[in-house]
Amino acid sequence: MKKLNVLVLGCVVAIAAASCIKDGESFDANAQYQLEKPIVEAYAMEHLDNPDYKDIQGVRVWFEVLEPGDPESYQYKVDENSGQQVLVPATAIVSYEGRLVNNNTVFESKEDQEFVISLNSIIPAWQLAFFPNKFRYDADGELLDEPIDFGGLTEEGLKAGSVIRIVTPSYWAYQNSARGSIPANSPLYFEISVSELEDYNSTN
């Protein structure tokens, strides 16, 4: 079984951590996760109706799928034509609400927002929510000879009509970097509703 998850998600986390460490300072993302782990679990148990979880590289994300969506609406793909495995970006129309786990306050709520779903455009927690556990299709929509492991929260990934709730430690969000009204080291809750999904067209 080919594996993609350790490489791409590990790079994302390493880059995020490096970007928010100042000279002379150090940040231990794993130690911070251990502090947040019981807080995230308690929030998930209180606010999710049917809480489930997945451990990715030893870091637990809680989630529940409210609506699986239309299984035929979209297939996530990997382009291997260059000799490397490159995830094919998607464009999604999404409505979502984000809350701070520490005090359950809403930091952002948007309707019908367009996102590029790729490794460079959304936080790792959203990558885990959107992308499937395994990629099964090539860039032309044909079945791969062998599925590629990614480690997403659900087997097929989010589809048009999907609704998911996730509770993530800051490890898979912004780590020790503050973003707008999100303080550093903030575990986050999201409810994400997907209305449309299609392959990303860079000429649009």
Side-chain angles (χ1 to χ4, degrees), residues 95-113:
S95 299
Y96 67 95
E97 179 179 272
R99 292 178 177 263
L100 301 175
V101 164
N102 289 334
N103 57 21
N104 200 36
T105 59
V106 176
F107 63 83
E108 193 165 61
S109 182
K110 300 286 187 180
E111 297 287 333
D112 297 327
Q113 298 293 298

Side-chain angles (χ1 to χ4, degrees), residues 9-179:
L9 287 175
C11 288
V12 169
V13 171
I15 292 169
S19 68
C20 49
I21 296 175
K22 299 178 181 178
D23 292 341
E25 295 182 354
S26 62
F27 172 63
D28 188 334
N30 289 313
Q32 179 62 33
Y33 165 64
Q34 292 302 323
L35 293 174
E36 296 175 13
K37 184 178 179 181
I39 299 170
V40 170
E41 180 175 354
Y43 187 95
M45 298 303 291
E46 180 179 355
H47 294 278
L48 302 184
D49 295 327
N50 296 289
D52 197 358
Y53 65 82
K54 187 165 187 177
D55 293 326
I56 303 99
Q57 299 176 31
V59 179
R60 180 165 296 179
V61 178
W62 290 82
F63 69 99
E64 68 173 336
V65 177
L66 301 182
E67 296 290 345
D70 177 3
E72 303 300 322
S73 63
Y74 189 73
Q75 302 295 346
Y76 294 92
K77 307 174 186 72
V78 172
D79 188 345
E80 297 184 300
N81 291 329
S82 65
Q84 297 181 328
Q85 296 169 352
V86 179
L87 304 190
V88 177
T91 299
I93 304 298
V94 174
S95 299
Y96 67 95
E97 179 179 272
R99 292 178 177 263
L100 301 175
V101 164
N102 289 334
N103 57 21
N104 200 36
T105 59
V106 176
F107 63 83
E108 193 165 61
S109 182
K110 300 286 187 180
E111 297 287 333
D112 297 327
Q113 298 293 298
E114 183 175 285
F115 284 89
V116 176
I117 307 302
S118 73
L119 297 177
N120 300 318
S121 59
I122 54 177
I123 62 173
W126 276 45
Q127 295 174 28
L128 293 168
F130 267 92
F131 291 131
N133 183 42
K134 294 179 176 65
F135 283 84
R136 302 180 184 279
Y137 296 90
D138 65 18
D140 297 319
E142 301 295 327
L143 280 171
L144 294 166
D145 292 336
E146 187 177 355
I148 299 173
D149 273 349
F150 180 81
L153 299 179
T154 62
E155 193 60 32
E156 300 297 333
L158 297 186
K159 307 285 188 173
S162 291
V163 182
I164 193 171
R165 292 173 176 165
I166 59 174
V167 187
T168 178
S170 63
Y171 190 98
W172 294 126
Y174 299 108
Q175 295 202 357
N176 65 330
S177 177
R179 298 293 179 94

